[in-house]
């Protein structure tokens, strides 16, 4: 499978403490880019990694968007996760806005 079908993820905090870290004072749209599959929604340029074992381009598995002002990743950053479907190795990439 070259691409995993896109599945949007919706945050569902279970505790008041978890709810308190979600959201941005000045940017209501930030933090809504969590998903599995599809293609990466790069903040900057494409940084798709190669597998360190077989040297093939890795498959995009999912991305985690920033959570909120209290635990921001730089300036509304995002973590991208990749997997080699042959070797089952993983790599992640962090980009900040």
């Amino acid at each position: 499978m070259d691409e995993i079908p896109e599945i949007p993820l919706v945050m569902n905090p279970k505790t008041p403490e978890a709810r308190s870290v979600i959201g941005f004072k000045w940017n209501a749209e930030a933090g809504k880019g969590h998903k599995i599959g599809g293609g990466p929604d790069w903040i900057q340029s494409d940084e798709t990694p190669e597998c360190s074992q077989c040297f093939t381009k890795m498959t995009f598995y999912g991305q985690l968007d920033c959570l909120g002002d209290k635990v921001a990743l730089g300036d509304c950053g995002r973590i991208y996760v990749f997997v080699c479907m042959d070797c089952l190795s993983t790599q992640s990439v962090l980009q900040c806005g």
Side-chain angles (χ1 to χ4, degrees), residues 51-70:
C51 176
S52 61
Q53 296 176 39
C54 68
F55 306 105
T56 60
K57 188 174 179 178
M58 298 182 89
T59 299
F60 174 71
Y61 195 83
Q63 66 188 35
L64 298 171
D65 210 340
C66 49
L67 295 175
D69 287 324
K70 292 182 180 178

Side-chain angles (χ1 to χ4, degrees), residues 37-57:
D41 300 324
W42 295 110
I43 293 172
Q44 299 172 12
S45 61
D46 185 332
E47 293 185 54
T48 302
E50 276 188 359
C51 176
S52 61
Q53 296 176 39
C54 68
F55 306 105
T56 60
K57 188 174 179 178

Side-chain angles (χ1 to χ4, degrees), residues 14-91:
K14 302 293 184 190
T15 66
E17 181 183 31
R19 282 190 290 280
S20 76
V21 299
I22 294 175
F24 293 88
K25 184 175 182 179
W26 304 108
N27 188 345
E29 291 305 308
K32 296 182 179 178
H34 310 284
K35 67 178 181 174
I36 301 293
D41 300 324
W42 295 110
I43 293 172
Q44 299 172 12
S45 61
D46 185 332
E47 293 185 54
T48 302
E50 276 188 359
C51 176
S52 61
Q53 296 176 39
C54 68
F55 306 105
T56 60
K57 188 174 179 178
M58 298 182 89
T59 299
F60 174 71
Y61 195 83
Q63 66 188 35
L64 298 171
D65 210 340
C66 49
L67 295 175
D69 287 324
K70 292 182 180 178
V71 289
L73 299 169
D75 185 16
C76 295
R78 192 173 283 159
I79 300 169
Y80 307 89
V81 179
F82 295 85
V83 63
C84 176
M85 295 299 198
D86 295 323
C87 301
L88 297 179
S89 62
T90 61
Q91 289 189 42

